[in-house]
């Protein structure tokens, strides 16, 4: 028989605890709810009302209702919350003891050590409503808290009239579990040497498994005489990045973009667990060829991997949204939006939507309304040049309140462009003469300096690669070479010299 009422046999063991409860204020007792896992703001508010009810009942200022409570929970995390409720009842003299009677089998109710003015916590998965009603009728002066889960939810329905109060204790969030692990380690006089990222590998476990890990870690730390607990003691094996994150990490450069995307995913995950998914809409600002489109596609995959959105990806431009006559634009824009729901809608060169005509205004107003109406099942990403995007965003104040994230894509350096070029070689299984590297780096460096305002970034590397392939093919045919995989210095130099000697466009008349 499982019982929590040993104090009834020998109250001297609990004198110190009972004195502490009596000397604490109600506010101090309620404050301990902050450390209880899975307790929402709403539940805290109800328990605060419950404590006010207790005081008014004692003063005979309220004569309806009772202290009985249904606590909905599919986890075992309710115990801390029940302890707080028991302390509130004990402090005000509603129950006699600072511990409660745990009833795990209502059919065997007569075998429990239940006395007058006890708190009885019923945790029977095979609850029989008529037996519960009999038990409550047998002890009318006791307070009953029934832990209600998926197994016994139906059986409580017929006796719900006997309960005035209902609260819920949810599954703790990953953030709560991570904090619990750190706090528990500190309570045992040890230093938590583990990051939140590392803790993600075990915060997906239920609390029983987490506590099992903690017990093992504390035993290991004591055996090895360690003053800390790290990932090895907790047996944390970091999970490999999900496919979308792997693709993001594999991209050349864009370190600040990668970091910001990871922060966004963490932010959205935490808010989703708290039941308040934030708006997901974004603006990408930067020059052409900086990876905006590819990152947008990857974000669609990442949102799917982390079950934020379904993962559908739609890429459009002005022509896909703006119609040829008034009234058509709203229909075209709405159709695109409807087809994009559940995923990412990427609008490339979005600044082209801004124009002083009715069509553009119709498109923008339809888009802004959809960004609000579908804040939880659509991520609109608008991309374009920095200055032009600012004009678009300033054209309608609705953008400011709906766009949550702004990401700047900086130009690639010559080293990053060379890495992009080299990746293309490897993908197509070409070998590059080692002497080519300095020639290519010098070319990229000059292009960066000379074309700063209209720099094509990754496209520059791709264009060079395509031209070099043509040059190599011509050389192999003319010289009847058999080395089809090798790209030589002569191939690269010939292409770069041809680019340098190409006449620049002249506007107007020449003498």
């Amino acid at each position: 028989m499982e019982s929590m009422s040993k104090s009834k046999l020998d109250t001297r063991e609990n004198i110190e605890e009972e004195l502490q409860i009596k000397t604490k204020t109600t506010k101090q007792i309620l404050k301990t709810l902050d450390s209880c896992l899975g307790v929402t703001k709403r539940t805290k508010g109800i328990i605060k009302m419950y404590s006010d009810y207790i005081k008014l009942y004692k003063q005979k200022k309220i004569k309806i209702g009772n202290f009985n409570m249904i606590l909905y929970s599919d986890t075992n995390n309710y115990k801390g919350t029940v302890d707080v409720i028991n302390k509130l009842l004990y402090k005000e003299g509603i129950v006699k003891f600072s511990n409660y009677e745990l009833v795990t089998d209502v059919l065997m109710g007569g075998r429990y050590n239940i006395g007058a003015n006890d708190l009885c916590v019923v945790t029977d998965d095979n609850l029989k409503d008529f037996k519960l009603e009999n038990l409550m009728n047998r002890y009318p002066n006791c307070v009953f808290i029934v832990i209600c889960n998926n197994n016994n939810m139906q059986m409580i329905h017929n006796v719900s009239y006997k309960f005035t109060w209902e609260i819920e204790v949810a599954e703790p969030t990953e953030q709560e579990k991570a904090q619990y692990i750190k706090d528990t380690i500190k309570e045992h006089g040890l230093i938590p040497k583990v990051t939140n990222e590392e803790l993600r590998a075990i915060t997906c476990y239920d609390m029983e498994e987490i506590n099992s890990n903690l017990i093992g870690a504390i035993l290991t730390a004591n055996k090895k005489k360690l003053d800390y607990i790290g990932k090895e003691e907790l047996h944390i094996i970091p999970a490999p990045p999900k496919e979308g994150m792997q693709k993001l990490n594999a991209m050349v450069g864009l370190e600040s973009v990668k970091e910001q995307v990871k922060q966004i995913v963490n932010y959205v995950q935490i808010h989703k667990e708290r039941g308040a998914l934030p708006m997901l809409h974004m603006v990408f600002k930067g020059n052409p060829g900086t990876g905006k489109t590819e990152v947008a596609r990857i974000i669609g995959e990442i949102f799917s991997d982390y079950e934020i959105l379904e993962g559908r990806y739609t890429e459009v431009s002005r022509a896909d949204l703006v119609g040829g006559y008034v009234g058509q634009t709203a229909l075209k824009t709405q159709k695109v939006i409807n087809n994009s729901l559940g995923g990412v809608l990427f609008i490339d060169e979005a600044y082209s939507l801004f124009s002083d005509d009715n069509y553009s205004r119709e498109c923008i107003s339809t888009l802004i309304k959809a960004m609000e109406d579908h804040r939880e099942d659509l991520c609109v990403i608008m991309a374009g040049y920095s200055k032009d995007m600012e004009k678009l965003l300033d054209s309608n104040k609705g953008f400011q309140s709906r766009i949550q994230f702004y990401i700047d894509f900086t130009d690639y350096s010559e080293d990053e462009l060379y890495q992009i070029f080299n990746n293309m070689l490897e993908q197509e299984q070409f070998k590059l003469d080692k002497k080519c590297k300095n020639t290519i780096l010098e070319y990229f460096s000059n292009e960066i300096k000379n074309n700063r305002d209209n720099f094509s970034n990754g496209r520059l590397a791709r264009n060079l690669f395509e031209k070099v392939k043509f040059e190599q093919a011509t050389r192999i045919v003319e010289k009847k070479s058999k080395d089809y995989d090798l790209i030589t210095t002569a191939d690269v130099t010939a292409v770069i010299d041809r680019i340098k000697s190409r006449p620049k466009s002249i506007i107007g008349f020449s003498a």
Side-chain angles (χ1 to χ4, degrees), residues 10 149 273 277 335 349 354 432-433:
D10 186 1
N149 54 40
E273 288 174 7
L277 190 68
K335 184 178 179 181
E349 298 181 346
F354 172 59
L432 183 67
D433 190 322

Side-chain angles (χ1 to χ4, degrees), residues 38-50:
V39 179
T40 63
K41 186 176 180 181
R42 181 176 181 276
T43 296
K44 288 179 183 178
I46 294 172
I47 295 175
K48 171 66 171 63
M49 288 174 59
Y50 186 79

Side-chain angles (χ1 to χ4, degrees), residues 475-484:
R475 174 181 56 79
I476 287 174
V477 171
E478 290 178 352
K479 296 187 177 181
K480 298 180 180 180
S481 172
K482 298 293 184 183
D483 203 346
Y484 301 124

Side-chain angles (χ1 to χ4, degrees), residues 148-349:
C148 194
N149 54 40
N150 286 330
N151 295 326
N152 60 22
M153 195 171 292
Q154 289 298 113
M155 295 307 297
I156 197 72
H157 177 73
N158 292 328
V159 289
S160 59
Y161 70 94
K162 283 185 169 289
F163 297 85
T164 299
W165 303 87
E166 292 185 3
I167 61 171
E168 179 183 9
V169 175
E171 173 70 21
T173 64
E174 286 190 3
Q175 191 176 28
E176 284 181 310
K177 290 177 181 178
Q179 191 60 50
Y180 170 78
I181 292 168
K182 291 178 180 179
D183 290 344
T184 303
I185 292 170
K186 290 177 183 176
E187 283 174 13
H188 289 79
L190 299 164
I191 302 167
K193 285 190 176 181
V194 60
T195 66
N196 286 333
E197 192 65 32
E198 290 168 340
L199 285 176
R200 284 188 183 278
I202 60 171
T203 50
C204 58
Y205 299 165
D206 60 32
M207 290 306 299
E208 284 76 9
E209 291 176 295
I210 287 174
N211 281 325
S212 178
N213 270 43
L214 281 167
I215 291 168
I218 293 165
L219 290 172
T220 300
N222 279 275
K223 185 177 180 180
K224 293 183 178 179
K225 296 183 179 179
L226 303 175
D227 63 351
Y228 66 89
I229 285 178
K231 62 181 181 181
E232 290 184 8
E233 289 70 41
L234 285 167
H235 297 291
I236 293 174
I237 303 173
K242 296 186 179 181
E243 190 172 346
M245 278 298 184
Q246 287 179 337
K247 289 181 180 179
L248 181 68
N249 292 333
M251 291 186 72
V252 174
L254 304 177
E255 297 309 320
S256 64
V257 173
K258 293 173 185 176
E259 183 60 31
Q260 198 167 348
V261 170
K262 290 170 187 174
Q263 289 175 348
I264 288 170
V265 172
N266 291 339
Y267 175 84
V268 172
Q269 276 189 292
I270 293 301
H271 280 71
K272 183 185 176 186
E273 288 174 7
R274 295 182 63 185
L277 190 68
M279 282 192 181
L280 304 171
H281 313 308
M282 309 179 191
V283 165
F284 289 179
K285 295 187 290 183
N287 284 328
T290 46
K292 298 187 291 295
T293 303
E294 190 174 352
V295 170
R297 289 178 185 145
I298 290 173
I299 284 176
E301 290 187 47
I302 290 172
F303 281 174
S304 176
D305 289 342
Y306 289 91
E307 299 180 352
I308 295 167
L309 292 174
E310 294 172 10
R312 186 179 304 157
Y313 175 81
T314 306
E315 185 176 327
V316 297
S317 61
R318 176 185 169 89
D320 301 298
L321 300 170
V322 178
Y325 54 85
V326 175
Q328 185 189 27
T329 293
L331 294 174
K332 284 186 74 173
T333 303
Q334 192 61 53
K335 184 178 179 181
V336 168
I337 290 164
N338 291 342
N339 291 337
S340 306
L341 293 179
V344 170
L345 172 59
F346 179 67
I347 307 174
D348 199 11
E349 298 181 346

Side-chain angles (χ1 to χ4, degrees), residues 396-443:
N396 192 306
K397 293 180 180 179
F399 281 127
Q400 305 296 333
S401 60
R402 288 163 178 81
I403 294 169
Q404 180 83 332
F405 309 108
Y406 296 81
I407 302 181
D408 290 311
F409 287 70
T410 57
D411 290 337
Y412 289 113
S413 67
E414 56 262 34
D415 288 324
E416 289 169 341
L417 288 171
Y418 178 78
Q419 190 177 341
I420 293 170
F421 181 87
N422 207 46
N423 288 348
M424 293 175 185
L425 288 170
E426 291 178 358
Q427 286 170 10
E428 298 197 21
Q429 297 182 330
F430 282 105
K431 293 180 292 184
L432 183 67
D433 190 322
K434 292 180 180 179
K435 297 176 183 178
C436 296
K437 182 175 181 179
N438 290 336
T439 304
I440 296 170
L441 282 171
E442 184 181 353
Y443 166 70

Side-chain angles (χ1 to χ4, degrees), residues 13 35 91:
E13 296 178 7
S35 60
K91 177 178 174 59

Side-chain angles (χ1 to χ4, degrees), residues 456-490:
S456 60
N457 285 283
R459 297 173 195 172
L460 181 69
R462 175 163 290 285
N463 288 340
L464 178 64
F465 175 63
E466 295 298 335
K467 288 181 172 64
V468 167
K469 283 198 299 179
F470 273 103
E471 187 68 29
Q472 186 244 22
T474 302
R475 174 181 56 79
I476 287 174
V477 171
E478 290 178 352
K479 296 187 177 181
K480 298 180 180 180
S481 172
K482 298 293 184 183
D483 203 346
Y484 301 124
D485 299 332
L486 180 66
I487 290 176
T488 67
T489 306

